[in-house]
Amino acid sequence: MTRLDCTVTGCLYNKEKCCCKDNIQVEGDRARHSRDTCCVSFRERDRDGVGNSVDYPTKDTDVSCRAVECTFNEDCHCQAKHIGISGGNACECRETECATFRCKCE
């Protein structure tokens, strides 16, 4: 499990800057920078702010990851002890990113 902090306040699963989902999927099979990644588990929050599917946030999250060039990726699973997903008031998953991504090419 990975410790996950999330600043995507526009996501249905975000509560208190933590994710209420116990697993997420990060895309970015051709990523070379964090901006080339995204959290495809993102679901837009209703405009009135209600609708969290789970009431309590969790810090430990299973992170499946398709960003195979990331130093933390091992067999499509994130091995980082702590990651951050950023994207503020994103309206779609492409507006989010894994802020922890580090390219093996660096």
Side-chain angles (χ1 to χ4, degrees), residues 3 11 22-23 31 33-34 40 46-47 49 52-53 55 59 61 65 68 72 85 88-89 93 95 100 102 106:
R3 182 177 164 97
C11 181
D22 62 354
N23 59 17
H33 305 278
S34 61
V40 294
D46 292 341
R47 291 180 189 250
N52 269 23
S53 61
D55 289 333
K59 284 283 191 178
T61 305
C65 182
V68 294
F72 300 111
I85 301 294
N89 289 318
C93 71
E95 296 173 340
T100 308
R102 298 293 175 266
E106 292 179 353

Side-chain angles (χ1 to χ4, degrees), residues 31-100:
R32 296 283 189 239
H33 305 278
S34 61
R35 68 179 173 264
D36 301 328
T37 65
C38 69
C39 178
V40 294
S41 299
F42 170 89
R43 296 296 174 267
E44 187 176 15
R45 181 184 306 275
D46 292 341
R47 291 180 189 250
D48 60 6
V50 299
N52 269 23
S53 61
V54 179
D55 289 333
Y56 30 179
T58 179
K59 284 283 191 178
D60 294 320
T61 305
D62 182 45
V63 180
S64 297
C65 182
R66 308 284 284 176
V68 294
E69 292 300 319
C70 181
T71 58
F72 300 111
N73 187 311
E74 186 175 303
D75 295 322
C76 292
H77 187 81
C78 183
Q79 298 300 314
K81 292 182 181 179
H82 182 252
I83 70 167
I85 301 294
S86 61
N89 289 318
C91 295
E92 59 182 52
C93 71
R94 297 288 170 214
E95 296 173 340
T96 67
E97 66 182 56
C98 177
T100 308

Side-chain angles (χ1 to χ4, degrees), residues 2-48:
T2 299
R3 182 177 164 97
L4 172 67
D5 290 320
C6 180
T7 63
V8 187
T9 55
C11 181
L12 172 70
Y13 301 114
N14 186 294
K15 186 171 184 180
E16 300 169 14
K17 297 195 177 179
C18 293
C19 188
C20 292
K21 200 164 171 9
D22 62 354
N23 59 17
I24 66 166
Q25 173 76 38
V26 173
E27 289 292 323
D29 58 333
R30 296 181 184 182
R32 296 283 189 239
H33 305 278
S34 61
R35 68 179 173 264
D36 301 328
T37 65
C38 69
C39 178
V40 294
S41 299
F42 170 89
R43 296 296 174 267
E44 187 176 15
R45 181 184 306 275
D46 292 341
R47 291 180 189 250
D48 60 6

